[in-house]
Amino acid sequence: MIEFRHAIIEALADELAADPSVFLLGEDVAAAGGVFKTTEGLLERFGPDRVIDTPISELAMTGAAFGSALMGRRPVLEIMFGDFMALSMDSLINQSAKWRFLSNDQVTVPLTVRTAVGAGGRFGAIHSQNPGTWLHNVAGISIVAPSTPGDAYGLLRSAVQADHPVLFLEHKRLFSMKGELDRGLVELGTAAVVREGADLTMVSMMKGVHDALQAADVLAAEGTDVEVIDLRSLRPLDLETVVRSVEKTGRIVCVEEGPVTGGWAAGLVGQLAAQALDLLEDATIVSAPDLPVPFSPTLEDAWLPGVERIVAHVRARLAGV
Amino acid sequence: MIEFRHAIIEALADELAADPSVFLLGEDVAAAGGVFKTTEGLLERFGPDRVIDTPISELAMTGAAFGSALMGRRPVLEIMFGDFMALSMDSLINQSAKWRFLSNDQVTVPLTVRTAVGAGGRFGAIHSQNPGTWLHNVAGISIVAPSTPGDAYGLLRSAVQADHPVLFLEHKRLFSMKGELDRGLVELGTAAVVREGADLTMVSMMKGVHDALQAADVLAAEGTDVEVIDLRSLRPLDLETVVRSVEKTGRIVCVEEGPVTGGWAAGLVGQLAAQALDLLEDATIVSAPDLPVPFSPTLEDAWLPGVERIVAHVRARLAGV
Amino acid sequence: MLLRAHADMYAIRRFEEHIMRLFLRGEIAGTTHLCNGQEAVCVGLGYALDEDDVVAGTYRGHGHILARGSEELRLAAELLGRVDGLCGGRAGSLNVFDPTRNYIGSFAIIGGSIGAATGAALALKGTGRVAVADFGDGTTNQGYFFECLNFAKVYDLPLVFSLENNGYMEYTPIGNVTARPDDLAGRAEAFGIETERVDGMDVRAVYEASLRAVERARAGEGPQFLEYRTYRFVGHSRSDPGDYRPEGELERWQERDPLTLSRRALTDELGTPDEDIAAREQEVDERLERAIDAALASPFPTPEELEVLS
Amino acid sequence: MLLRAHADMYAIRRFEEHIMRLFLRGEIAGTTHLCNGQEAVCVGLGYALDEDDVVAGTYRGHGHILARGSEELRLAAELLGRVDGLCGGRAGSLNVFDPTRNYIGSFAIIGGSIGAATGAALALKGTGRVAVADFGDGTTNQGYFFECLNFAKVYDLPLVFSLENNGYMEYTPIGNVTARPDDLAGRAEAFGIETERVDGMDVRAVYEASLRAVERARAGEGPQFLEYRTYRFVGHSRSDPGDYRPEGELERWQERDPLTLSRRALTDELGTPDEDIAAREQEVDERLERAIDAALASPFPTPEELEVLS
Ligand SMILES: Cc1ncc(C[n+]2csc(CCOP(=O)(O)OP(=O)(O)O)c2C)c(N)n1
Ligand SMILES: Cc1ncc(C[n+]2csc(CCOP(=O)(O)OP(=O)(O)O)c2C)c(N)n1
Ligand SMILES: [Mg+2]
Ligand SMILES: [Mg+2]
């Protein structure tokens, strides 16, 4: 068993060791080992040319990571909190995501951007967001978001090895979570059925997957057999896995840690409806209210979808309320 | 009849005249009258304190617009091309959208951001994007996008008068379009049925609305009676108007100028399914391929959903293909 | 005035010590950034401002908020996430602010305070009011900073750039990632902005330099830039033990603790009796005790609030 | 070498005149930004670089691309949106680039070229290769610019900042929105970066200064900054008549047209016979004629390409 944050360190270490073109950059990632301790020990092992502390310059860092990728390097950029991604988006959207296409496939941009996301840690409105949806409509990048240490390892290695830009989201409430590490790679763009069930398909990501699994346990005791899918990838969406599940269950509930409008859940249901409307008996979304993430524990807990709300939602839905 | 760009000038002029706290800022908006000529004559009428040419400093401009709004001014910020919004997003997401909530409703942020968006003008991948979806998941802002001069006027005035941040999207291929101007205000967050029909609901925005109307004409000649909805607002979504239409037609086709994954169309269909699945006999999306906007005219035309593709899609769909 | 300044700095120090205790007791969740060591900047700058001048600060904002005159009870209640908080518990330490005192934000995005203060100054131009952008040394590598230097100078805004140079970002010494770290003010000079370097541990020096800058800005002489040399005696945030500091550095700076300096000046220069100082400090202690207790007695907001809003 | 430089500048001028004609004929759609007047920078800087040095430029990039040695036919074909274009027609004038010549991008986002070149320089550090960031005066107010000045200096990157100061943003004179517009290089000096101001109309001056800077960067002396004073003789982009210019300004600068200066130097200083110059120019004219014709003969990409890709 290994902590999620250590799985990240392991993946980075294995990539740094395997490929001399890989390097890390970010604020406080080298000497300090990262504010979430996800790069600890890497400076010592790989030296200051491979693990670089940067100034607080998100534009320069993201632009430079892109430029180095054009030269054949494989930068892994850490943006400390996902909320700061707003300062990185120009280079991601207007450069990294576009250059291969614009070059007529002459160049690739093997860039990985890692960032810590999500609410529930009492960090308030500007340190708790889920920026995956900000980039969800941008062609040319992948967005992945693991929920377990094993997936974190496998997806991060795949991200670093990919020849296109990948945004890699790390949920803050998972860093201390423990799980198995088999050092297997996980293909980008694939969802995983993490619990089989016949009555209803529940889709979530990151911390939400664990809530979904807990909710499934509660519901199982009440006789509802929930299949839980860890979407793992926002872009591309693995509709196939979802469709296969819904073929069996006919019902889908998505659990999203964020507002419904413009979120991934509504988009997933929409694409599902456009592709397989006939399969659907019911489709719903458990999401956060359309508000920023509040600081106060009582408010933040109310903001979050959580096991209780998920369970209550499913019960009501099945009861036809 | 008045050009779309003149409707914008009129709305700005009327707001500047009506409220001394309103002012405009942006690159080349004052002396030059804007690169799309949407602020022409306003410097002359309202002077350099109300119409301000800025340096090429999107971070500073957006941050300063926010700060001035906190002091009770009503800034109208022009970001020349929507693609450059990526440089403005930090202040919009992490400040403007959040401050009212964070302040416990003690302050408001009456900020309007105008920007020229959309493809079809042969401007290529970095001057043709639709950034509305980048902010679609951000609570605390409105996003509106008119398709006619009358709506441009009415929505822009409502945006400037609103006490919260509004992103106002102007499609480049509409600037020269002519239409009526009755100087009526249009409520933010409302969709409009722009053509009534019984067989199928077609939803689009901006330039897409005109394509949809043309497609509806073609289809009408073949006996298909299409209702066209101009969504006009990405945030909040006016689901009610859409539901009312689908109650009648049972079928929805969304036409989006952009990739389907992470787009507004999939989100709309998803929310519709979550709210009114029973109504839906069919739901589909005509969108762009999952690629940046290409420059070459042949490629750009193929990238765009357009009248022909819309018509072909509906025909195939109705034929059950 | 020095006795008052001493008491005000003392109050900030003690207030944050309470906060740290509440943190360790689990009463406060999340994170918090203390300005322990930097109180002279908060108070000296605060004294140089009028009530209707405007300040935009950072996540390290408690001291500045108190210097604006906000209620200790309400600040503490905010950090505790309670309804009586300055922001009803919605903002917390990272984001708390008090618009009623013209403290318009604790910006958790590096550089955000500068953009906002620039805009405030744009709105205040010609009114005789001044805006202050408070930020740290790490922020001088951020795009907002430079763009706003130019922006403020171009429009000759009544803006005071207030750089609290404590030598560190979170855990990285500023010199490691900064060109010419010993001349951060030189970056403002490149824009033709007047600058002054100030001993940030000496509340009188801070006050006098701040007053000069504020008055110049008020008089329409355009943006001003102050670099306060200071130090934080504690870690960057709650979880940081501050291991990255070279040996002896903290101790050297602690000799110049703003409270030590003000106490010494009171005694040695002004002949203030120790009892007077002690009496003022005790007053503060008791006041804070009451404020913290009252804050702890304030209820948490009810979740229904969110339902109403959305 | 001057004769060759003259011919190369002449080729850029004529190439863009062809492009303008194609625009007016409707063969090219969208927009385009000409470097008419700024050719000495393209050629003089180009000569100072080795083949495996790297250049990141802007939407005003045709001249630099040609200076890198890219084929005129393929550049023209790109602007026409044809399959033989450098980017298969996907990029167009605003975004065209040629990685085979180490010209890594025409960045349509102000400041983008600087970020990319900074990263290229990070990758090239220690290899003896150099990266160049080309950009305009308006770009010196942009966050990317400042952050990268610091970034490049901190890591001592082999990067040459190449500022083409033509005095204007799109339609706004740079002085209207810029603090200390006469000392843009001073902004780099604030970071301890070595700078040089260069007559950007004199191709020999450009070459010599560029060579000095490139060699310093190559030798590991860290980032260098060049400010070329230049002027564009045409509007910002296709649709701009350039009305915002004060009377007589264009004419004054035209007296220092880089082509006039090089022709004069060839004749007066080197005694090059007029016929030799004319012969070279005619050679260029004929070559370009052929290139443009060939580009026009190249087919448009078929829409199927998009279906395959997505
Ligand atoms: C845009 C952005 N990047 C990174 C951070 C994370 N961060 C928070 S505080 C900090 C250090 C700031 O240093 P400085 O400006 O010197 O202020 P100090 O903390 O010393 O007061 C960093 C990097 C942030 N909040 N915002
Ligand atoms: C981030 C961004 N903001 C605005 C623009 C629009 N724009 C294109 S060119 C230009 C002027 C640039 O001026 P300068 O840097 O001097 O370069 P020049 O055009 O003179 O070569 C502007 C504002 C842009 N492309 N990118
Ligand atoms: Mg600091
Ligand atoms: Mg220029």
Side-chain angles (χ1 to χ4, degrees):
Chain A
M1 297 283 268
I2 182 172
E3 276 189 15
F4 192 93
R5 65 160 54 79
H6 288 131
I8 289 169
I9 297 178
E10 288 296 306
L12 293 173
D14 287 351
E15 282 302 317
L16 283 161
D19 183 345
S21 63
V22 174
F23 72 105
L24 318 185
L25 74 169
E27 295 158 15
D28 299 301
V29 299
V35 302
F36 295 106
K37 300 286 171 219
T38 47
T39 50
E40 205 158 48
L42 297 176
L43 171 67
E44 294 72 13
R45 272 185 69 186
F46 297 99
D49 289 342
R50 311 282 305 282
V51 185
I52 303 176
D53 274 329
T54 66
I56 310 174
S57 303
E58 279 80 6
L59 292 171
M61 290 150 66
T62 319
F66 160 73
S68 75
L70 280 186
M71 294 287 103
R73 302 290 296 272
R74 291 188 177 271
V76 182
L77 171 66
E78 176 175 309
I79 297 295
M80 197 186 284
F81 281 79
D83 313 71
F84 314 158
M85 286 293 305
L87 287 164
S88 278
M89 283 181 62
D90 174 61
S91 187
L92 278 179
I93 291 178
N94 288 320
Q95 300 172 15
S96 292
K98 307 255 189 299
W99 240 244
R100 178 179 179 160
F101 177 79
L102 283 179
S103 78
N104 208 16
D105 303 328
Q106 294 177 86
V107 304
T108 57
V109 182
L111 164 68
T112 303
V113 181
R114 300 173 40 240
T115 193
V117 307
R122 319 311 187 202
F123 286 106
I126 325 281
H127 277 66
S128 304
Q129 292 167 90
N130 279 304
T133 54
W134 305 347
L135 289 147
H136 199 193
N137 196 220
V138 178
I141 57 169
S142 291
I143 307 175
V144 292
S147 72
T148 66
D151 281 357
Y153 178 91
L155 284 170
L156 183 49
R157 289 205 65 179
S158 292
V160 178
Q161 290 175 19
D163 281 337
H164 65 275
V166 181
L167 176 61
F168 183 88
L169 307 175
E170 303 168 8
H171 199 290
K172 290 189 283 289
R173 281 191 293 163
L174 297 177
F175 280 132
S176 302
M177 216 206 95
K178 288 195 170 164
E180 298 300 336
L181 185 77
D182 66 3
R183 292 191 187 264
L185 263 60
V186 176
E187 204 184 325
L188 301 177
T190 58
V193 177
V194 293
R195 183 191 208 279
E196 297 204 8
D199 296 341
L200 179 148
T201 301
M202 193 176 285
V203 185
S204 194
M205 302 188 81
M206 300 187 279
K207 174 65 169 71
V209 172
H210 302 280
D211 294 348
L213 287 169
Q214 262 187 267
D217 283 343
V218 176
L219 291 162
E222 301 172 7
T224 306
D225 188 16
V226 176
E227 175 143 314
V228 178
I229 293 180
D230 181 351
L231 196 57
R232 291 200 303 206
S233 172
L234 271 179
R235 172 164 263 282
L237 281 173
D238 180 2
L239 267 185
E240 225 177 284
T241 297
V242 178
V243 168
R244 236 185 347 255
S245 175
V246 175
E247 273 170 2
K248 193 167 55 171
T249 66
R251 294 173 167 270
I252 184 168
V253 177
C254 293
V255 178
E256 178 164 9
E257 190 191 296
V260 67
T261 296
W264 61 260
L268 178 71
V269 173
Q271 288 198 51
L272 189 64
Q275 185 165 315
L277 185 62
D278 297 348
L279 300 179
L280 287 176
E281 282 161 58
D282 195 28
T284 54
I285 297 164
V286 183
S287 63
D290 203 33
L291 294 169
V293 182
F295 162 72
S296 180
T298 50
L299 296 180
E300 188 177 37
D301 288 343
W303 186 92
L304 288 164
V307 179
E308 273 177 54
R309 268 181 61 212
I310 299 168
V311 170
H313 175 89
V314 172
R315 279 190 198 130
R317 209 66 203 177
L318 292 174
V321 182
Chain B
M1 299 281 268
I2 182 173
E3 276 189 15
F4 191 94
R5 66 160 52 80
H6 288 130
I8 289 169
I9 297 178
E10 287 297 306
L12 293 172
D14 288 352
E15 282 302 317
L16 283 161
D19 183 346
S21 62
V22 174
F23 73 104
L24 318 185
L25 73 167
E27 295 158 15
D28 299 301
V29 299
V35 302
F36 295 106
K37 299 287 170 218
T38 47
T39 50
E40 205 158 49
L42 297 176
L43 171 68
E44 294 72 13
R45 271 185 70 186
F46 298 98
D49 289 342
R50 309 283 304 282
V51 186
I52 303 176
D53 274 327
T54 67
I56 310 173
S57 303
E58 279 80 6
L59 292 170
M61 290 151 66
T62 318
F66 160 73
S68 74
L70 280 186
M71 294 287 103
R73 303 289 296 272
R74 291 189 176 273
V76 182
L77 171 66
E78 176 175 309
I79 297 294
M80 197 186 284
F81 280 80
D83 313 71
F84 314 159
M85 286 294 303
L87 286 163
S88 278
M89 282 181 63
D90 174 62
S91 186
L92 279 178
I93 291 177
N94 288 319
Q95 301 172 13
S96 292
K98 308 257 188 298
W99 240 243
R100 178 178 180 162
F101 177 79
L102 283 179
S103 79
N104 208 15
D105 302 328
Q106 294 177 85
V107 303
T108 57
V109 183
L111 164 67
T112 302
V113 181
R114 300 173 39 239
T115 192
V117 306
R122 319 309 188 203
F123 285 105
I126 325 281
H127 278 65
S128 303
Q129 292 167 92
N130 279 304
T133 53
W134 305 346
L135 290 146
H136 199 195
N137 196 220
V138 178
I141 57 169
S142 291
I143 308 174
V144 293
S147 72
T148 66
D151 280 357
Y153 178 92
L155 284 171
L156 183 50
R157 290 206 64 179
S158 293
V160 178
Q161 291 174 20
D163 281 337
H164 64 274
V166 181
L167 176 61
F168 183 88
L169 307 175
E170 303 168 7
H171 199 291
K172 290 189 283 287
R173 281 189 294 163
L174 297 177
F175 280 131
S176 302
M177 218 206 93
K178 289 195 168 166
E180 297 300 335
L181 184 77
D182 66 5
R183 292 189 187 264
L185 263 59
V186 177
E187 203 184 324
L188 301 178
T190 59
V193 177
V194 292
R195 182 190 209 279
E196 297 202 8
D199 297 340
L200 178 148
T201 301
M202 192 175 287
V203 184
S204 193
M205 302 189 81
M206 299 188 280
K207 174 64 168 72
V209 173
H210 302 279
D211 294 346
L213 286 169
Q214 261 187 270
D217 284 342
V218 175
L219 291 161
E222 301 171 7
T224 307
D225 189 18
V226 176
E227 176 143 313
V228 178
I229 293 181
D230 181 353
L231 195 58
R232 291 199 302 206
S233 172
L234 271 178
R235 172 163 263 283
L237 280 173
D238 180 1
L239 266 184
E240 227 177 282
T241 298
V242 178
V243 169
R244 235 184 348 256
S245 175
V246 174
E247 274 169 1
K248 194 166 58 170
T249 65
R251 295 174 165 268
I252 184 168
V253 177
C254 293
V255 178
E256 177 164 11
E257 190 192 296
V260 67
T261 297
W264 60 260
L268 179 70
V269 172
Q271 289 199 53
L272 189 65
Q275 185 164 318
L277 186 63
D278 297 348
L279 300 179
L280 287 177
E281 283 162 57
D282 194 29
T284 53
I285 297 164
V286 183
S287 63
D290 202 33
L291 294 170
V293 182
F295 162 72
S296 181
T298 50
L299 296 179
E300 189 177 38
D301 288 343
W303 185 92
L304 290 164
V307 180
E308 271 177 55
R309 267 181 61 211
I310 300 168
V311 169
H313 175 89
V314 172
R315 278 190 199 131
R317 209 67 203 176
L318 291 175
V321 182
Chain C
M1 191 204 83
L2 185 58
L3 185 54
R4 181 160 72 88
H6 176 80
D8 285 349
M9 292 194 295
Y10 180 83
I12 294 173
R13 177 75 53 90
R14 287 287 166 272
F15 178 87
E16 289 201 326
E17 284 168 0
H18 276 291
I19 296 306
M20 196 62 191
R21 237 185 332 266
L22 292 170
F23 237 112
L24 296 176
R25 268 176 33 202
E27 298 273 2
I28 295 181
T31 185
T32 193
H33 302 76
L34 307 184
C35 68
N36 191 310
Q38 305 182 200
E39 298 89 347
V41 179
C42 308
V43 171
L45 170 62
Y47 283 13
L49 297 171
D50 286 350
E51 262 183 31
D52 59 2
D53 292 332
V54 171
V55 178
T58 74
Y59 49 86
R60 201 180 298 291
H62 310 152
H64 287 284
I65 294 174
L66 294 177
R68 292 303 287 167
S70 301
E71 278 177 65
E72 288 145 348
L73 186 168
R74 299 200 57 208
L75 178 58
E78 183 62 33
L79 308 192
L80 286 157
R82 310 300 174 97
V83 289
D84 291 311
L86 287 169
C87 302
R90 295 186 192 171
S93 171
L94 270 170
N95 303 126
V96 54
F97 66 110
D98 187 354
T100 68
R101 301 282 170 168
N102 288 313
Y103 180 86
I104 60 171
S106 284
F107 291 82
I109 294 288
I110 296 297
S113 62
I114 308 178
T118 300
L122 188 66
L124 297 179
K125 192 179 173 185
T127 64
R129 294 168 68 189
V130 166
V132 174
D134 191 68
F135 57 97
D137 44 287
T139 309
T140 64
N141 292 324
Q142 231 278 347
Y144 271 118
F145 169 65
F146 300 105
E147 290 193 2
C148 289
L149 285 171
N150 181 66
F151 199 95
K153 183 66 184 174
V154 165
Y155 306 110
D156 262 323
L157 303 185
L159 176 62
V160 177
F161 290 88
S162 156
L163 161 57
E164 298 191 48
N165 185 349
N166 62 13
Y168 288 88
M169 297 161 47
E170 303 211 354
Y171 315 136
T172 300
I174 186 68
N176 289 12
V177 294
T178 307
R180 306 191 66 212
D182 297 329
D183 189 22
L184 298 179
R187 296 176 174 204
E189 284 157 11
F191 296 86
I193 293 175
E194 225 174 309
T195 68
E196 197 169 335
R197 281 123 178 118
V198 190
D199 178 353
M201 306 309 260
D202 177 345
V203 71
R204 289 184 299 186
V206 169
Y207 170 68
E208 283 155 20
S210 303
L211 193 64
R212 282 191 292 275
V214 167
E215 292 310 323
R216 281 194 301 265
R218 205 185 295 295
E221 294 178 34
Q224 309 292 321
F225 189 99
L226 295 169
E227 177 183 357
Y228 307 107
R229 284 293 293 134
T230 181
Y231 199 79
R232 61 171 153 75
F233 294 152
V234 295
H236 165 72
S237 64
R238 180 176 69 123
S239 54
D240 166 26
D243 295 339
Y244 41 81
R245 295 171 156 154
E247 198 167 313
E249 185 182 81
L250 174 61
E251 291 70 22
R252 271 197 311 284
W253 276 95
Q254 275 174 329
E255 287 167 23
R256 307 203 67 251
D257 186 326
L259 287 170
T260 311
L261 295 195
S262 60
R263 192 178 286 110
R264 189 182 305 149
L266 282 169
T267 318
D268 298 358
E269 293 175 38
L270 306 181
T272 314
D274 280 352
E275 312 84 76
D276 289 13
I277 302 176
R280 283 299 277 267
E281 291 185 352
Q282 202 188 329
E283 215 175 282
V284 168
D285 287 337
E286 289 166 10
R287 190 181 76 217
L288 283 177
E289 212 66 64
R290 287 192 301 273
I292 300 290
D293 284 348
L296 280 164
S298 171
F300 283 99
T302 57
E304 285 71 50
E305 199 199 336
L306 294 188
E307 282 158 41
V308 173
L309 285 169
S310 58
Chain D
M1 192 204 82
L2 185 58
L3 185 55
R4 180 160 73 91
H6 176 80
D8 285 349
M9 293 194 295
Y10 180 83
I12 295 173
R13 177 74 55 89
R14 287 285 166 274
F15 178 88
E16 290 201 325
E17 283 168 1
H18 277 290
I19 297 307
M20 196 61 192
R21 236 185 331 266
L22 292 171
F23 237 112
L24 297 176
R25 265 173 37 199
E27 298 273 2
I28 295 181
T31 185
T32 193
H33 302 76
L34 307 185
C35 68
N36 191 311
Q38 305 182 203
E39 297 89 347
V41 179
C42 308
V43 171
L45 171 61
Y47 283 13
L49 297 171
D50 285 351
E51 263 182 31
D52 59 2
D53 292 332
V54 170
V55 177
T58 75
Y59 50 86
R60 200 180 299 289
H62 310 152
H64 287 285
I65 294 175
L66 294 178
R68 291 303 287 165
S70 300
E71 277 178 65
E72 288 146 347
L73 187 170
R74 297 199 59 206
L75 178 58
E78 183 62 33
L79 309 190
L80 286 156
R82 310 300 174 96
V83 290
D84 292 311
L86 287 169
C87 302
R90 295 187 191 170
S93 171
L94 270 170
N95 302 125
V96 54
F97 66 111
D98 188 352
T100 68
R101 301 283 171 166
N102 288 312
Y103 181 88
I104 60 170
S106 283
F107 290 81
I109 295 287
I110 296 297
S113 62
I114 307 178
T118 300
L122 188 66
L124 296 179
K125 193 179 171 185
T127 65
R129 296 167 66 188
V130 165
V132 174
D134 191 69
F135 57 98
D137 46 288
T139 309
T140 64
N141 292 324
Q142 232 276 346
Y144 271 118
F145 170 64
F146 299 106
E147 290 194 1
C148 289
L149 284 171
N150 181 67
F151 198 95
K153 183 66 184 173
V154 165
Y155 306 110
D156 262 324
L157 303 184
L159 176 63
V160 177
F161 290 88
S162 155
L163 161 56
E164 299 191 47
N165 185 348
N166 62 14
Y168 288 89
M169 296 162 47
E170 302 212 354
Y171 315 135
T172 301
I174 186 68
N176 289 13
V177 293
T178 307
R180 307 193 62 213
D182 296 329
D183 189 22
L184 298 179
R187 296 175 174 206
E189 284 156 12
F191 296 85
I193 292 175
E194 226 175 307
T195 67
E196 196 169 335
R197 285 131 177 107
V198 190
D199 178 352
M201 306 309 259
D202 177 346
V203 71
R204 288 184 298 186
V206 169
Y207 170 69
E208 283 155 21
S210 303
L211 193 63
R212 281 190 293 275
V214 167
E215 292 310 323
R216 280 194 301 267
R218 203 185 295 294
E221 294 178 34
Q224 309 292 321
F225 189 99
L226 294 169
E227 177 183 356
Y228 307 107
R229 284 293 294 133
T230 180
Y231 199 80
R232 61 170 155 73
F233 294 153
V234 295
H236 166 72
S237 64
R238 181 175 69 121
S239 54
D240 165 28
D243 294 340
Y244 42 80
R245 297 172 155 152
E247 198 166 314
E249 185 181 82
L250 174 62
E251 292 69 23
R252 271 198 310 284
W253 276 96
Q254 275 174 329
E255 287 166 22
R256 306 202 68 252
D257 185 326
L259 287 171
T260 311
L261 297 194
S262 58
R263 193 178 285 110
R264 189 181 307 148
L266 281 169
T267 318
D268 297 359
E269 293 176 38
L270 307 181
T272 314
D274 280 352
E275 311 85 76
D276 288 12
I277 303 176
R280 284 297 277 266
E281 292 185 351
Q282 202 188 328
E283 215 175 284
V284 168
D285 287 339
E286 289 166 11
R287 191 183 73 218
L288 284 176
E289 210 69 62
R290 284 193 302 273
I292 301 289
D293 284 349
L296 280 165
S298 172
F300 283 99
T302 56
E304 284 71 48
E305 200 199 337
L306 295 188
E307 281 158 42
V308 173
L309 284 169
S310 59

